[in-house]
Amino acid sequence: MFKKLISKFKKDQQEEDVNIQEEPLDEMLEQDEETDEENTEEDCAEVEQFEDSEEAPFDLEPWNEDEAEQDITHGQEPQVIESEPEKIGFFAKLKEGLTKTRQGITAKVDQVLKAYKKVDEDLFEEIEEILITADVGVSTTMDIIGKLRSQSKERKITEAEHLRGLLKEILADTLDLDKSHELNIQPLPAIILVVGVNGVGKTTSIGKIAHRLRSQGKKVLLAAGDTFRAAAIDQLEIWGNRVGVDVIKHQEGSDPAAVVFDAIQAAKARKIDVLICDTAGRLHNKTNLMNELGKVRKVVEREYGDASKEILLVLDATTGQNAIQQAKIFKEAVDVSGIVLTKLDGTAKGGVVLGISSELDIPVKLIGVGEAMDDLQEFNPNDFVNALFGDES
């Protein structure tokens, strides 16, 4: 019976891949206007909550435009932003943020391992079903179960409870691609292009990355390259004001490549350490969007060839397998070097991290496990798996 379930998943995935090839990703990259506006309002409302809240998620002096301009333009060392004392450590935040995913994967795995005394094929099928329903993906799940089956035989594991440790090892290996999970910003200066469809938390992630880098003492500049979405420029300015960094912008509807060009010239003149560029998340169709991204990349290569480069793709974990399909499309258009996975704390579909790593061979670099400014964390495969299993780091 379970083999029919697997067959159905494979058939559905094949049909989805065919549809993606036939359709220019209209449904994925061109979300309807109402959804787009709602996402914009929600993102701006989230930022405005920071302004109105008596307990801000980080401790920052009120924004003063003149002081900020003096800080950057005259080459003074940027002020290090002091965050509020953390109530809980980063790993504790990670465990808390993965609660829903843990309930959807490892809590169920633990129940199954307790129900079985001996390792047999029925046990493997039970674990298989758990991983698939947690949006790990059919092909990734098959690979994991295949390793679990073969390595348990090699190690002569016969007791079901002893599979838990082996499963942890395999999941950690799946996430560790022998690639760096740190942002590629060394040597300075560096430029980060942030791509992704609208509504995934792209602008919010840019603000949090800027805060993270500035708190490390780096000079940061933002470029409002998403000139097509209504209020995108204003939203980035709100984050820039909140974090205390300047934003290079043009009028709405301007050429994104021209914005990036001006931002690069400003970064050079002001001796900026890291330039972070927002990009369009939607145009009239997939081809136009990818052409715009291609133009931006050419400007970066021509004008900032010596800078360290990072192209981050922002994905929404709550979309599950759809996030993997988005990643495949963007990977075809630009040389995506890292993934930012947002909203992990709000979904039981955190298994998509495994699918992204396995199927796309792109390292996950940052994950969002909460609403606070410091809840965008660096991704560590071992810490992630330990938190997923509820173990200590």
Side-chain angles (χ1 to χ4, degrees), residues 95-238:
K95 285 179 68 174
E96 182 180 338
L98 292 178
T99 298
K100 292 184 178 180
T101 297
R102 183 163 56 252
Q103 292 171 347
I105 300 180
T106 52
K108 292 181 179 179
V109 168
D110 286 340
Q111 290 177 358
V112 169
L113 294 179
K114 290 179 181 178
Y116 284 79
K117 292 184 178 180
K118 299 295 182 182
V119 175
D120 58 27
E121 196 58 33
D122 290 338
L123 174 57
F124 289 128
E125 289 191 357
E126 291 270 14
I127 298 174
E128 208 171 66
E129 181 178 3
I130 291 170
L131 295 179
I132 289 177
T133 54
D135 268 314
V136 172
V138 174
S139 61
T140 303
T141 296
M142 293 300 151
D143 184 53
I144 291 171
I145 295 300
K147 291 178 180 177
L148 189 65
R149 185 183 287 110
S150 62
Q151 292 184 28
S152 63
K153 289 182 179 178
E154 291 175 3
R155 302 187 187 187
K156 298 180 180 180
I157 297 176
T158 57
E159 301 294 328
E161 62 181 1
H162 295 158
L163 280 183
R164 191 178 193 274
L166 177 57
L167 180 60
K168 279 186 63 176
E169 290 181 27
I170 294 172
L171 295 186
D173 288 341
T174 301
L175 294 171
D176 190 358
L177 305 175
D178 291 329
K179 297 181 180 180
S180 174
H181 293 274
E182 297 180 357
L183 291 178
N184 180 33
I185 58 172
Q186 295 296 337
L188 298 173
I191 182 170
I192 301 175
L193 295 182
V194 184
V195 302
V197 301
N198 293 339
V200 296
K202 183 157 55 77
T203 309
T204 300
S205 296
I206 290 173
K208 292 182 178 181
I209 293 171
H211 165 72
R212 183 184 191 90
L213 294 174
R214 194 163 186 265
S215 68
Q216 296 170 358
K218 294 180 175 60
K219 296 180 182 178
V220 181
L221 183 65
L222 304 181
D226 187 354
T227 61
F228 298 99
R229 180 168 66 89
I233 298 173
D234 294 337
Q235 185 183 345
L236 189 65
E237 276 197 298
I238 292 173

Side-chain angles (χ1 to χ4, degrees), residues 274-299:
V274 184
L275 171 62
I276 307 176
C277 303
D278 192 9
T279 64
R282 189 190 76 176
L283 289 175
H284 297 298
N285 57 43
K286 169 193 166 187
T287 302
N288 284 348
L289 173 60
M290 300 312 167
N291 286 342
E292 285 296 337
L293 292 177
K295 285 171 58 180
V296 169
R297 281 198 65 196
K298 288 180 181 178
V299 169

Side-chain angles (χ1 to χ4, degrees), residues 203-389:
T203 309
T204 300
S205 296
I206 290 173
K208 292 182 178 181
I209 293 171
H211 165 72
R212 183 184 191 90
L213 294 174
R214 194 163 186 265
S215 68
Q216 296 170 358
K218 294 180 175 60
K219 296 180 182 178
V220 181
L221 183 65
L222 304 181
D226 187 354
T227 61
F228 298 99
R229 180 168 66 89
I233 298 173
D234 294 337
Q235 185 183 345
L236 189 65
E237 276 197 298
I238 292 173
W239 278 103
N241 290 344
R242 190 61 182 171
V243 175
V245 300
D246 278 0
V247 178
I248 303 299
K249 64 177 182 177
H250 286 191
Q251 293 182 346
E252 186 175 319
S254 301
D255 184 358
V259 178
V260 173
F261 176 88
D262 285 351
I264 291 173
Q265 305 314 313
K268 290 178 179 178
R270 303 179 188 186
K271 300 187 184 303
I272 294 295
D273 293 323
V274 184
L275 171 62
I276 307 176
C277 303
D278 192 9
T279 64
R282 189 190 76 176
L283 289 175
H284 297 298
N285 57 43
K286 169 193 166 187
T287 302
N288 284 348
L289 173 60
M290 300 312 167
N291 286 342
E292 285 296 337
L293 292 177
K295 285 171 58 180
V296 169
R297 281 198 65 196
K298 288 180 181 178
V299 169
V300 171
E301 292 295 338
R302 185 181 71 239
E303 301 296 328
Y304 222 19
D306 295 335
S308 299
K309 298 173 185 63
E310 182 83 272
I311 301 180
L312 296 178
L313 171 61
V314 181
L315 299 173
D316 183 344
T318 64
T319 61
Q321 289 296 298
N322 191 35
I324 295 180
Q325 301 307 322
Q326 290 177 23
K328 289 180 179 178
I329 296 298
F330 276 94
K331 187 179 179 182
E332 292 175 4
V334 292
D335 187 18
V336 176
S337 56
I339 300 291
V340 178
L341 195 61
T342 65
K343 308 176 187 178
L344 264 175
D345 57 310
T347 181
K349 299 180 178 181
V352 70
V353 178
L354 294 156
I356 290 172
S357 299
S358 176
E359 295 185 35
L360 301 175
D361 196 35
I362 302 174
V364 176
K365 298 203 170 184
L366 295 167
I367 54 175
V369 292
E371 298 295 330
M373 188 67 77
D374 291 325
D375 287 342
L376 187 66
Q377 297 189 14
E378 290 183 358
F379 180 77
N380 180 289
N382 290 325
D383 285 349
F384 182 88
V385 173
N386 282 327
L388 189 62
F389 277 78

Side-chain angles (χ1 to χ4, degrees), residues 68-102:
E69 180 67 20
Q70 183 181 22
D71 177 45
I72 296 176
T73 306
H74 297 292
Q76 297 179 8
E77 290 300 319
Q79 179 183 0
V80 176
I81 303 171
E82 296 292 340
S83 299
E84 288 184 354
E86 296 181 24
K87 295 180 180 179
I88 55 177
F90 280 120
F91 185 75
K93 284 184 179 181
L94 180 60
K95 285 179 68 174
E96 182 180 338
L98 292 178
T99 298
K100 292 184 178 180
T101 297
R102 183 163 56 252

